[in-house]
Amino acid sequence: MLAIHLFGSPTVSINDQDCTNLTQAPTLTRLFAYIVMHRDMPQTRVKLATLFYPDQDEPTARRNLNTMLSRLRTILHGCPCIQSDNQTIQFDLTTPFLFDVIEFERNAQHIKDTGALEAAYGLYRGEFMEGYYDDWCIAERERLHEQYVLLLQSSSTLYQNSDQLDLALVKARQWVAIDSFCDAAHRQVIGLCLQVDKPHEARQQFERYSIIWREDLKLELSPQMMLLARGSGLLATPKAVAESTRQNVDWLTLTDQQLVAISPDTDSSIVAALRQRLNAEIIDCTERLGDVFKQQFAVDEALSYYMLAIHALAQSSEISQRTQHELILRRKCDEIYDLSSRRVQQGQNLDVIHKLASELGEPNTLLDALLRQIWFKLSQDNYAEAIEVAGHAVQIASHCTTAEQAVAHRLVGLANFGDCRLQQAQQHLSEALRLGKAANLSASIQLDLINLAAVDIAFANYPEALQRLNQAHDLTSETTAPTVLVRLEGTLGQVYMKLGQWQQANTRLNHAMKLAQAIGDRNIELWLAGRIMDLYLRQSYVDRAIMFGQQHYQNAQVAADAFALADLGDWLAKAHIQGGEGQRALAWADQSVNTATRHFLWRYQMRGAMRHAQAHQLLGQFDKAHEYAEQALCFLKQRDDYIEETNEVLDTYQLCLQKVGRPTHQL
């Protein structure tokens, strides 16, 4: 039996006898490993000669390849596993063999089976082909390392969900040890330490995280980490300030209560004036205390003091000032609700903000209320309602500053883009760009260039998208927000992928993913996961795409991210179609379509119908395929734009017509 181990230092054995003559010869090891890793298809001699002898002319390179192949056959004489002819070389798949990479990848796909995950974990003795630095080795090493990271993440989550917290913590520690720039890994370790009553270890992990983020990454701690740290007592509130303000509030409240009990014979105007002064002090103190807690991410305390201030405001006699001040407090509450994902309270608070802004009747105040509503609806993937509010916002914006007008058009553009109304999206985003340039707002210009590039990609205008992104890249500075850098890198990776530049795409997308994980931005991380899946499928890495997609689909479920669920479900359906698994493709297409239908995601309803058609074709169910192809075509006709998916929908429809014996026609 041939046994091949390429994790860590490569070893090869035949019937338990080590082939040291092979593994001690680096060129032989590289050649054999390459043939085994690319075992599914014949490799041309020209390609191998060029790959392993790049500095030699072709005749010399081929002679050297022949020599190495002859030596390889001699060493493996007890197991003739290499097939070749004058043109090609291939590993003989009929040979009985054990290969650690195959077993690792097979087990790692079973993300809900702890036994399989543990088996995969045991096979990963070290990084792939340690000590070898060929380009193809490095690419495979990164790919398999990425699978190993996902394996640890999956294992930790699986053990946690089954209340095996000690095992979950072991895997989480291993995860953070090899992926120390991942915010989620640190949060997993800290959360589990707290669950198993190890607060000291949780604090130590938080301190390590803080050092990495502030000193190595030069980033602020992520809001998600700050919320966890604050809620678990890992961050101390500045007691001196908070306690001092609390004492003032307590004293003022007590004094106010005593005034209520004053004799009725006392001059009421004096008492009323004194109570108004005290009430103003209470408002000021409680708001300042709310600000202290807000800055420290102590959201419950901040909200409670802001609400105390709002309650005290109700006693104020100055109506216009009362309304203006409550609006300020409600905006602060909105930021906290958004940060802590308290969507129900956020929606209710936004209704009050809109009511107060309407009472004041000031254009910029009303615009702010409308823009907050648009952002809220976009965060819930509610594009239709966002567009409805956006129309009113643009009208109001015409009476506001240039910068405010730019923000309004940007959000309207994003709302239309989310609903795949690309012409309208392009129109509003172009206007936002024009306004940003007029006001010389470099950060605004950079954002709008990135957004317009995303529209170009949807239109399949990839060269134009790349041009815009290069312009946006030129505007990058030390003050550019990390969230903007993530979007820029991710969109650059996406357009390079569309242009077939795999190496550039891989570099950009992976860099963007690392940065998204570092800043704890789950939404952009899940969006990037879909783009990386697309890259894998374009390179025919189907198994890799499926494993990667399933893991991030679970993360999307936890985050309740409708767009990500529809997007990743669609890519998983496509991956199974590409892998020839029609039934699994149908199951994932159903998942994607169900989410898209609930949230009115037109693009994914169309793509879901197309995936159903493709899966039914694969299963030989041609009438069903034709029915779904008709649905996809109907969805496509609901928009006048030519989009990326247009050709795929039309090709699928034409193929379905052929399969059911109907004449094809020009569409």
Side-chain angles (χ1 to χ4, degrees):
M1 172 70 74
L2 175 65
I4 308 164
H5 298 279
L6 298 185
F7 285 122
S9 297
T11 64
V12 179
S13 64
I14 300 174
N15 298 326
D16 297 326
Q17 296 296 313
D18 288 341
C19 299
T20 53
N21 288 344
L22 192 163
T23 52
Q24 289 179 1
T27 304
L28 273 182
T29 303
R30 290 161 55 227
L31 175 62
F32 182 63
Y34 187 89
I35 293 171
V36 174
M37 288 298 292
H38 297 82
R39 60 195 172 279
D40 292 332
M41 65 175 59
Q43 303 297 309
T44 67
R45 288 176 177 266
V46 172
K47 175 182 175 181
L48 291 173
T50 303
L51 181 66
F52 287 95
Y53 302 98
D55 298 329
Q56 297 176 1
D57 59 76
E58 185 179 326
T60 304
R62 292 195 62 162
R63 281 196 302 272
N64 286 334
L65 176 65
N66 291 338
T67 300
M68 295 306 294
L69 188 59
S70 177
R71 287 181 59 192
L72 189 57
R73 283 204 174 99
T74 300
I75 293 170
L76 298 171
H77 68 278
C79 182
C81 57
I82 305 295
Q83 294 178 325
S84 64
D85 55 33
N86 290 335
Q87 299 298 322
T88 63
I89 300 169
Q90 185 178 12
F91 185 82
D92 186 354
L93 293 174
T94 65
T95 303
F97 72 106
L98 293 174
F99 185 20
D100 60 351
V101 173
I102 290 178
E103 290 302 304
F104 171 80
E105 293 192 288
R106 182 177 62 80
N107 283 295
Q109 290 184 40
H110 299 284
I111 59 175
K112 295 184 179 180
D113 182 344
T114 53
L117 295 181
E118 286 294 341
Y121 170 75
L123 288 163
Y124 196 89
R125 300 180 306 156
E127 291 190 334
F128 176 79
M129 296 281 288
E130 285 182 355
Y132 292 84
Y133 300 99
D134 303 53
D135 288 345
W136 71 270
C137 274
I138 293 170
E140 290 292 346
R141 184 175 302 146
E142 291 175 351
R143 178 179 74 82
L144 292 165
H145 179 77
E146 182 182 281
Q147 287 193 16
Y148 182 60
V149 171
L150 286 173
L151 169 70
L152 292 173
Q153 182 180 358
S154 299
S155 299
S156 181
T157 302
L158 197 58
Y159 283 129
Q160 184 181 25
N161 292 341
S162 60
D163 291 326
Q164 299 180 72
L165 300 181
D166 288 331
L167 287 173
L169 183 55
V170 169
K171 297 303 179 188
R173 285 175 176 148
Q174 292 169 347
W175 175 20
V176 82
I178 65 170
D179 199 11
S180 61
F181 290 171
C182 179
D183 184 86
H186 289 275
R187 283 188 278 120
Q188 180 78 345
V189 172
I190 291 169
L192 286 166
C193 283
L194 294 168
Q195 280 188 270
V196 298
D197 197 25
K198 294 182 178 178
H200 179 66
E201 290 188 32
R203 188 175 300 281
Q204 287 181 326
Q205 187 66 41
F206 177 70
E207 289 171 355
R208 283 195 289 269
Y209 165 88
S210 300
I211 291 170
I212 292 170
W213 255 244
R214 287 178 173 141
E215 296 183 9
D216 296 346
L217 295 176
K218 310 298 182 186
L219 290 173
E220 293 297 322
L221 308 192
S222 77
Q224 293 85 350
M225 179 60 83
M226 291 295 286
L227 286 172
L228 173 62
R230 172 63 61 207
S232 56
L234 299 178
L235 279 177
T237 305
K239 292 182 179 178
V241 178
E243 192 56 38
S244 172
T245 309
R246 274 199 181 107
Q247 289 173 0
N248 288 341
V249 172
D250 292 343
W251 180 82
L252 290 166
T253 304
L254 178 62
T255 305
D256 187 53
Q257 290 170 352
Q258 290 173 341
L259 284 173
V260 174
I262 285 179
S263 168
D265 298 331
T266 308
D267 188 336
S268 60
S269 62
I270 295 175
V271 174
L274 186 55
R275 289 197 68 186
Q276 284 297 319
R277 283 177 55 195
L278 285 169
N279 197 56
E281 289 292 334
I282 290 172
I283 294 167
D284 180 62
C285 285
T286 50
E287 183 177 4
R288 281 193 285 117
L289 194 53
D291 290 343
V292 168
F293 283 114
K294 179 173 178 283
Q295 289 169 4
Q296 295 297 316
F297 292 86
V299 294
D300 292 325
E301 292 92 337
L303 286 169
S304 66
Y305 282 105
Y306 286 146
M307 286 300 143
L308 279 175
I310 289 170
H311 178 74
L313 266 173
Q315 312 303 318
S316 176
S317 59
E318 292 290 335
I319 295 177
S320 62
Q321 291 181 7
R322 182 176 69 199
T323 303
Q324 186 70 52
H325 201 155
E326 182 177 353
L327 193 57
I328 292 170
L329 289 165
R330 293 281 181 181
R331 288 170 179 167
K332 292 179 179 181
C333 290
D334 177 53
E335 293 167 10
I336 294 175
Y337 289 136
D338 188 51
L339 175 65
S340 55
S341 299
R342 303 182 186 193
R343 300 306 178 196
V344 174
Q345 297 96 317
Q346 187 180 11
Q348 294 169 346
N349 188 60
L350 285 171
D351 289 340
V352 178
I353 287 176
H354 187 264
K355 177 177 175 293
L356 294 170
S358 299
E359 289 175 6
L360 289 172
E362 300 167 354
N364 61 331
T365 303
L366 187 55
L367 177 63
D368 175 81
L370 292 171
L371 295 180
R372 288 174 186 272
Q373 284 193 344
I374 295 170
W375 185 253
F376 174 66
K377 293 181 186 301
L378 288 177
S379 70
Q380 296 184 305
D381 301 310
N382 194 340
Y383 301 113
E385 288 189 16
I387 290 170
E388 185 178 344
V389 177
H392 190 197
V394 170
Q395 292 178 353
I396 298 295
S398 62
H399 303 289
C400 300
T401 66
T402 302
E404 289 170 325
Q405 290 177 49
V407 173
H409 281 284
R410 182 178 307 119
L411 287 182
V412 176
L414 291 175
N416 279 283
F417 180 69
D419 200 37
C420 208
R421 299 181 185 278
L422 301 182
Q423 295 286 355
Q424 295 93 321
Q426 190 174 59
Q427 174 187 342
H428 285 287
L429 291 171
S430 296
E431 180 63 10
L433 179 62
R434 185 192 69 79
L435 291 165
K437 288 180 176 178
N440 197 26
L441 305 170
S442 59
S444 174
I445 294 169
Q446 188 176 39
L447 269 176
D448 293 321
L449 286 168
I450 296 169
N451 291 330
L452 280 166
V455 176
D456 289 331
I457 292 170
F459 274 136
N461 294 333
Y462 307 130
E464 188 170 346
L466 183 58
Q467 184 179 1
R468 291 191 200 273
L469 291 169
N470 285 332
Q471 292 174 19
H473 189 272
D474 291 341
L475 294 172
T476 301
S477 68
E478 292 181 357
T479 61
T480 302
T483 51
V484 177
L485 289 175
V486 172
R487 288 197 57 216
L488 176 58
E489 285 290 290
T491 312
L492 269 168
Q494 185 183 15
V495 77
Y496 280 128
M497 173 182 62
K498 303 292 186 180
L499 292 169
Q501 299 179 33
W502 309 135
Q503 189 61 46
Q504 282 271 44
N506 185 65
T507 300
R508 296 285 186 174
L509 287 172
N510 279 298
H511 179 233
M513 178 63 84
K514 288 294 183 186
L515 187 52
Q517 291 172 339
I519 64 177
D521 193 327
R522 177 55 63 84
N523 290 335
I524 193 70
E525 180 183 340
L526 292 171
W527 174 79
L528 286 166
R531 312 296 67 78
I532 292 172
M533 279 192 74
D534 188 6
L535 178 61
Y536 291 161
L537 292 176
R538 287 169 184 265
Q539 298 176 92
S540 299
Y541 297 149
V542 176
D543 290 342
R544 183 181 181 186
I546 290 172
M547 191 191 77
F548 186 82
Q550 286 176 334
Q551 176 60 52
H552 284 88
Y553 190 87
Q554 286 185 324
N555 294 339
Q557 287 177 310
V558 172
D561 187 325
F563 173 84
L565 289 169
D567 184 53
L568 292 170
D570 175 72
W571 287 118
L572 282 162
K574 183 170 184 177
H576 284 294
I577 290 166
Q578 197 165 322
E581 298 176 305
Q583 289 295 344
R584 290 188 178 184
L586 285 176
W588 281 111
D590 283 338
Q591 296 270 40
S592 179
V593 168
N594 289 341
T595 302
T597 302
R598 285 197 305 272
H599 293 272
F600 305 101
L601 302 176
W602 170 85
R603 195 171 187 179
Y604 289 96
Q605 289 177 285
M606 177 197 66
R607 288 170 69 156
M610 178 174 64
R611 299 290 176 237
H612 274 94
Q614 293 167 344
H616 282 297
Q617 279 182 359
L618 191 62
L619 294 167
Q621 300 166 354
F622 301 124
D623 288 334
K624 272 283 187 184
H626 178 256
E627 179 185 332
Y628 279 106
E630 287 272 13
Q631 285 185 23
L633 189 61
C634 287
F635 274 115
L636 186 65
K637 290 179 178 178
Q638 290 175 10
R639 301 288 193 273
D640 295 330
D641 300 327
Y642 174 90
I643 59 175
E644 281 189 297
E645 295 89 345
T646 297
N647 285 342
E648 190 177 3
V649 171
L650 296 180
D651 290 345
T652 301
Y653 179 70
Q654 297 284 23
L655 183 58
C656 286
L657 288 177
Q658 292 177 12
K659 293 294 185 180
V660 296
R662 298 187 185 183
T664 59
H665 52 275
Q666 188 69 35
L667 294 170

